[in-house]
Amino acid sequence: MKFYHKILLIVLVAYAPYVWSQPVFKVVPLGIKGGIDESNLSSYMLAVEGTNDFICLDAGTLHYGIQKAVTARVFKDSVSYVLRNYIKAYLVSHPHLDHVAGLIINSPEDGPKNIYGLPHCIEVLKDKYFTWESWANFADDGEKPLLKKYHYNILSAGKETAIDSTQLTVRAFPLSHVNPYESTAFLVRYNENYLLYLGDTGADSLEKASNLRELWKEVGPLIAARKLKAIFMEVSYANDQPNNLLFGHLTPNLLMKEMDVLALVSGADALKGLPIVITHMKPSGKKEETIKKQLIVLNKLNLQLVFPQQARLLKF
């Protein structure tokens, strides 16, 4: 058994009551990586357990991920039906292609729905992607003629917004992804239960920003109250990646330093067993294996590290 599998088994046993408590959310990862494989890019379908009213957190890969989920019998309906009817909305953290390519390419076969994002993200979708020179304008705003399949719903930072056709609400928090460029963290709520998804982000110390510190102030009390069910957070590179080549991303060292800051707000005990889903690893050589090992060794807070697999259902 590989090293990190042994350690993960110990973690799961230690926090079995937390892991096997009644799930509130279900997540189907359609894509988990940060490049170069276009069939497996950041995209996570999220719904309340017992429903098929999903939102899609980023949309780097759609069709291939849904096809794998259908093959794995996560979904009983066809790929086309899941795309058009299960996904009720897209929440886009930032407009880099590895987070929006699936949305753009699949738009001709998709059904009507909302796209949620902070103003800068929506502006790029409107002005750069859904135009007639680069693709076609499937939205109801921007370059004419308007095909009016998608409606842009511009989020205000920190303000809670109901997501149409679901039981979910969302609050958006700006992140720094190579300052001054923005990404987004989405705090999704169902009743008194929360799930936090972060798009690409650099560490505050390197970004010369306080975005993560402000986010931790918001979610720390939710963790202390056991209301936050999971955090999805990127670790793109191993610890040997030079700081000047991080391009607004995290390493295991940087992630755990941010968790230490979070612990100051939530209390270290409250973080024990909290699922941290590791996203956006860049598949270069054996770096993914290295990142996993480094995270496990550095996990002094006894977080429940979760390494998602494409099309394998997660419940929180």
Side-chain angles (χ1 to χ4, degrees):
M1 186 183 291
K2 294 180 179 178
F3 169 79
Y4 67 86
H5 285 160
K6 291 181 180 178
I7 300 298
L8 184 58
L9 180 60
I10 293 171
V11 171
L12 289 176
V13 170
Y15 296 104
Y18 193 104
V19 175
W20 301 116
S21 61
Q22 188 69 27
V24 177
F25 299 108
K26 60 181 179 180
V27 178
V28 182
L30 301 183
I32 64 170
K33 298 183 186 297
I36 50 180
D37 181 358
E38 65 269 21
S39 71
N40 198 358
L41 299 172
S42 295
S43 184
Y44 297 85
M45 289 176 64
L46 165 67
V48 175
E49 175 69 353
T51 79
N52 284 322
D53 298 329
F54 285 89
I55 60 174
C56 205
L57 298 161
D58 283 330
T61 292
L62 289 180
H63 186 275
Y64 187 81
I66 296 172
Q67 179 64 72
K68 288 200 70 172
V70 170
T71 300
R73 299 184 179 180
V74 174
F75 300 129
K76 296 180 180 179
D77 291 299
S78 68
V79 175
S80 176
Y81 190 87
V82 171
L83 173 67
R84 293 177 61 86
N85 297 285
Y86 280 27
I87 299 175
K88 306 299 183 183
Y90 298 102
L91 277 64
V92 181
S93 67
H94 65 295
H96 286 172
L97 279 171
D98 56 330
H99 294 257
V100 299
L103 167 58
I104 297 163
I105 294 297
N106 284 274
S107 53
E109 301 300 319
D110 204 354
K113 56 199 63 168
N114 285 353
I115 299 174
Y116 294 81
L118 289 174
H120 171 72
C121 180
I122 297 299
E123 283 301 311
V124 174
L125 289 173
K126 181 170 66 175
D127 294 341
K128 305 299 183 185
Y129 295 137
F130 285 125
T131 73
W132 289 94
E133 288 188 348
S134 62
W135 189 242
N137 189 3
F138 283 93
D140 59 1
D141 191 12
E143 187 178 333
K144 297 180 179 179
L146 307 174
L147 298 182
K148 300 183 179 181
K149 179 175 288 187
Y150 297 132
H151 172 68
Y152 295 125
N153 196 314
I154 299 175
L155 299 173
S156 298
K159 180 181 177 181
E160 188 168 54
T161 300
I163 302 173
D164 287 352
S165 303
T166 76
Q167 302 175 67
L168 302 169
T169 67
V170 65
R171 294 173 66 196
F173 298 90
L175 300 174
S176 183
H177 183 33
V178 187
N179 201 350
Y181 297 108
E182 276 191 358
S183 182
T184 313
F186 295 116
L187 182 61
V188 180
R189 181 177 68 85
Y190 168 67
N191 292 337
E192 293 300 312
N193 303 285
Y194 295 81
L195 185 143
L196 179 64
Y197 173 87
L198 285 77
D200 294 356
T201 182
D204 280 352
S205 58
L206 298 181
E207 296 289 310
K208 308 303 180 185
S210 60
N211 300 74
L212 288 172
R213 183 179 295 274
E214 294 303 314
L215 179 61
W216 302 148
K217 289 179 182 178
E218 292 288 337
V219 303
L222 299 177
I223 296 170
R226 301 292 182 181
K227 293 181 178 181
L228 186 68
K229 302 304 179 183
I231 297 176
F232 284 62
M233 196 164 179
E234 70 120 291
V235 180
S236 296
Y237 296 106
N239 288 330
D240 60 356
Q241 186 79 359
N243 287 347
N244 66 329
L245 296 178
L246 284 174
F247 308 112
H249 293 294
L250 296 174
T251 64
N253 272 333
L254 292 171
L255 173 72
M256 291 305 176
K257 287 179 180 178
E258 290 296 338
M259 293 295 98
D260 287 337
V261 178
L262 176 56
L264 296 176
V265 183
S266 66
D269 286 344
L271 287 179
K272 292 179 180 178
L274 177 68
I276 306 294
V277 183
I278 305 301
T279 68
H280 206 266
M281 286 191 287
K282 292 184 177 291
S284 175
K286 296 183 178 180
K287 290 296 186 183
E288 289 179 79
E289 187 86 5
T290 300
I291 290 170
K292 291 175 182 178
K293 289 180 178 179
Q294 290 175 348
L295 283 167
I296 291 165
V297 169
L298 290 168
N299 187 17
K300 309 304 182 184
L301 290 168
N302 293 318
L303 305 161
Q304 184 197 144
L305 299 173
V306 179
F307 303 109
Q309 297 182 43
Q310 188 178 35
R312 179 167 291 185
L313 181 66
L314 298 171
K315 294 189 178 185
F316 302 101

